[in-house]
Amino acid sequence: MKDVIVLGGLNMDLIVDTPRLAGPGETAEGTRFYTTPGGKGGNQAVAAARLAQSPGSVKMVGRIGDDGFGEEMAQFMRNEGIDTSLLRSTADVASGVAVIFILPDGENHVNPVYGANALCDAQQSDDVKSALSNAGALLCQQEVPLPVTKASIDAAAAAGVTVILDPAPVRDVPDGFYDSVTILTPNQGEASSMAGVDVVDVASAKLAAARIRNSGIGTVVITLGDQGAWIEGEGVSELLDPFKVDVVATVAAGDAFNGGMGVGLASGMDLLEAARLGMASGALCVSKAGAQDAMATRAEAEALLSVQR
């Protein structure tokens, strides 16, 4: 098992379960409120750590504020066996937060305020570079400033390390931004935006994946929720069937997928094996409440995979 390096955002999730969203000027009463560590980077790191079962092999690179939320998020990751030596705290700045509304069908609406995440700079890309010598995968998203992500993925690609990038949240990126990405993992909305195709089913996902891949990306995996995932790459163009679970909340499903895929590739699995581990991780995540709290253990993932086989 090689190391999995995660560069990305860390937010404290402020979660409201509600029957419906309030309209303009309206108050709509929710049914439950709770907080849980989140952020796409933090979520991916915890997902990877629980599946890797190798303390210290997952390394988190990012920024938190010097507040209670920041320390709570850092301690949660340390408790999961994640190496936080490259997680920097910034004085007099609030940690990132995300207000998340979850509807009865499990669908979520997220409003983040990125706080300290937005201050990631050359220190973070240097931290990534310093951790690449034993790395098998670098996981990135688009919650931290794009120049930091670009410098990091370029360095990883130059070192021969697999780069898995979740293009979320959707941002306008400069030409060539994805040139060093090995695997891009958009969801339906992100794939629709990138390909100019309304991704609603398997056929449209196949078309969108081919268009995105033609921009120079080696492999594209479009996650389709309860429809599975479409993989388009060198010698592979197929649908991975979904796992059947009862959905509680879709928060962090994509992060769970990327964390699982990263661990799979870093431990020597081929692309399809790693993707199936990612899908099992994502399915188990949506069957529980929360974000990082909901990430699957290796035993849970292997049990679900054995049922699928």
Side-chain angles (χ1 to χ4, degrees):
M1 173 76 192
K2 291 187 176 181
D3 292 341
V4 175
I5 313 303
V6 183
L7 167 68
L10 299 111
N11 302 316
M12 183 59 72
D13 290 345
L14 315 177
I15 300 178
V16 177
D17 290 342
T18 182
R20 63 182 181 88
L21 297 177
E26 179 190 19
T27 298
E29 184 178 1
T31 56
R32 181 188 179 204
F33 171 78
Y34 57 100
T35 64
T36 184
K40 299 191 75 61
N43 294 345
Q44 291 183 6
V46 172
R50 289 190 178 178
L51 294 170
Q53 295 182 311
S54 178
S57 66
V58 176
K59 303 181 186 302
M60 183 70 222
V61 179
R63 283 193 184 274
I64 53 176
D66 62 343
D67 52 13
F69 281 165
E71 177 52 34
E72 185 177 345
M73 289 188 288
Q75 186 59 53
F76 189 97
M77 286 188 287
R78 288 192 289 268
N79 292 346
E80 295 290 334
I82 296 168
D83 182 346
T84 61
S85 62
L86 299 177
L87 178 60
R88 310 283 178 170
S89 178
T90 305
D92 302 320
V93 174
S95 297
V97 298
V99 181
I100 303 174
F101 297 91
I102 300 179
L103 300 179
D105 63 359
E107 195 56 66
N108 66 88
H109 299 258
V110 184
N111 290 94
V113 179
Y114 287 123
N117 296 299
L119 299 182
C120 286
D121 55 19
Q123 177 66 70
Q124 276 61 59
S125 53
D126 287 345
D127 286 342
V128 169
K129 293 173 189 176
S130 73
L132 289 174
S133 60
N134 190 47
L138 170 67
L139 307 185
C140 297
Q141 325 81 38
Q142 295 179 176
E143 284 188 319
V144 301
L146 296 180
V148 179
T149 303
K150 176 60 173 170
S152 299
I153 62 180
D154 284 349
V161 174
T162 296
V163 176
I164 304 172
L165 190 141
D166 178 358
V170 174
R171 298 186 187 277
D172 291 329
V173 300
D175 290 343
F177 183 78
Y178 298 122
D179 286 353
S180 297
V181 173
T182 314
I183 304 171
L184 192 75
T185 62
N187 64 17
Q188 289 173 252
E190 293 145 10
S192 297
S193 177
M194 296 180 72
V197 174
D198 189 12
V199 178
V200 295
D201 54 20
V202 174
S204 54
K206 178 179 180 179
L207 175 60
R211 286 190 180 182
I212 295 170
R213 186 168 182 262
N214 286 340
S215 66
I217 298 167
T219 300
V220 177
V221 183
I222 299 179
T223 55
L224 299 169
D226 61 5
Q227 298 182 75
W230 184 269
I231 297 188
E232 191 77 24
E234 186 66 35
V236 58
S237 180
E238 67 179 83
L239 177 73
L240 294 183
D241 291 330
F243 293 93
K244 302 298 183 182
V245 296
D246 293 328
V247 176
V248 173
T250 59
V251 175
D255 302 328
F257 175 85
N258 278 30
M261 176 176 276
V263 168
L265 293 172
S267 60
M269 292 182 182
D270 65 27
L271 175 63
L272 291 179
E273 288 178 313
R276 291 188 190 282
L277 178 60
M279 289 185 67
S281 176
L284 289 162
C285 176
V286 303
S287 70
K288 306 174 187 176
Q292 293 174 22
D293 283 329
M295 296 304 171
T297 65
R298 187 59 176 257
E300 289 173 326
E302 289 181 349
L304 188 58
L305 284 165
S306 67
V307 171
Q308 176 78 2
R309 292 192 190 101

